[in-house]
Amino acid sequence: MNINPREIRGKWRVGWALDFHTRSSTRLPDGRFDNEYTELGALLHTVKYYGDKQPILPIAETAAKFIKKELAVDGILVHPHLESIVPIPPSDTTRDFQPVFEIAREMGKILSLRVDPDYLIKTRQTLPHKNLESNKSRREQLNGAFEIRSQSRNYRCILLFDDIYRSGETLTEATRVLHKDGNIHNKNRQSRVFVITLTQTRTRR
């Protein structure tokens, strides 16, 4: 699969979105959008909104290949040091299956990494970010929305995984909690949270 990785910066150590979600988006007269998706964006859209599980494996293989061969700090590959993949908890809990969790599980199999969907949990329901008008409103609703379920795991280096990077507010708040309550940083207070998202929206709004 052809991808166009893009670095995403934040409180985490290193983060990447594997591609844009769409190539273009045109607003129609009825208010809907006519989207032209990237290859990865199209597969992800099919999984999320049509419940098609067939693209999960090729998506996971693409992500795993990047993590194994490209995710690095100062030329040092991160994969050998990772202890777990921690998927971001979903906003929409009504789906028959959770795409982020399912893709993460396949990535874990390929990379021989533990996947821990119960480590970082949401303390309350939150709205999807596409339904909120501003980054401020997204930040406000996420404040205190995550917690570490078990302090006994003592991870030192994790991969935080999500499907779409929009404003970065979700990943920022999750990373803050991982630093504060999970102590996932080294003795120099450098983050040991690494971030991968499958796609990135063309704007951060």
Side-chain angles (χ1 to χ4, degrees):
M1 186 185 308
N2 292 321
I3 58 173
N4 181 28
R6 313 184 65 81
E7 188 173 5
I8 50 177
R9 298 182 183 274
K11 300 296 185 181
W12 45 88
R13 184 69 180 275
V14 172
W16 289 87
L18 299 186
D19 209 337
F20 278 126
H21 195 63
T22 62
R23 292 189 177 94
S24 65
S25 185
T26 304
R27 192 179 186 91
L28 301 174
D30 62 3
R32 294 179 300 137
F33 287 89
D34 180 19
N35 296 318
E36 180 186 355
Y37 294 96
T38 61
E39 184 178 3
L40 182 55
L43 291 179
L44 179 58
H45 183 80
T46 299
V47 174
K48 289 189 68 170
Y49 297 103
Y50 292 93
D52 185 357
K53 296 185 179 182
Q54 188 171 352
I56 288 176
L57 182 57
I59 290 173
E61 289 173 339
T62 299
K65 180 179 179 181
F66 179 86
I67 292 163
K68 196 168 187 177
K69 296 186 176 182
E70 303 294 336
L71 183 61
V73 175
D74 298 329
I76 300 173
L77 291 173
V78 172
H79 172 241
H81 305 282
L82 291 174
E83 296 171 314
S84 180
I85 300 173
V86 175
I88 287 287
S91 296
D92 183 356
T93 59
T94 64
R95 287 192 173 100
D96 292 335
F97 71 100
Q98 294 298 338
V100 171
F101 288 179
E102 296 300 325
I103 295 168
R105 289 188 181 101
E106 291 300 326
M107 290 165 54
K109 292 176 187 177
I110 298 166
L111 294 168
S112 299
L113 277 174
R114 175 177 182 168
V115 178
D116 198 341
D118 296 321
Y119 180 61
L120 181 72
I121 63 169
K122 272 190 176 175
T123 59
R124 63 176 187 272
Q125 187 78 15
T126 58
L127 293 172
H129 277 193
K130 64 181 180 180
N131 295 343
L132 297 170
E133 293 183 355
S134 69
N135 289 347
K136 180 181 179 182
S137 60
R138 293 167 185 146
R139 192 177 308 120
E140 288 174 348
Q141 78 146 352
L142 285 167
N143 185 31
F146 295 108
E147 68 177 25
I148 302 295
R149 169 167 283 182
S150 174
Q151 299 288 343
S152 64
R153 288 177 172 83
N154 293 321
Y155 291 134
R156 293 167 297 176
C157 186
I158 68 164
L159 181 74
L160 189 60
F161 173 68
D162 205 359
D163 54 353
I164 300 177
Y165 178 88
R166 187 179 300 270
S167 66
E169 297 297 342
T170 298
L171 290 168
T172 296
E173 178 62 15
T175 300
R176 185 190 70 79
V177 172
L178 291 169
H179 288 162
K180 178 177 177 291
D181 299 328
N183 297 313
I184 304 179
H185 42 59
N186 63 20
K187 62 182 180 180
N188 296 320
R189 311 301 289 182
Q190 286 183 310
S191 176
R192 285 185 174 172
V193 176
F194 297 86
V195 167
I196 289 290
T197 72
L198 297 176
T199 62
Q200 176 186 3
T201 58
R202 301 192 70 84
T203 68
R204 295 189 59 178
R205 298 180 61 185

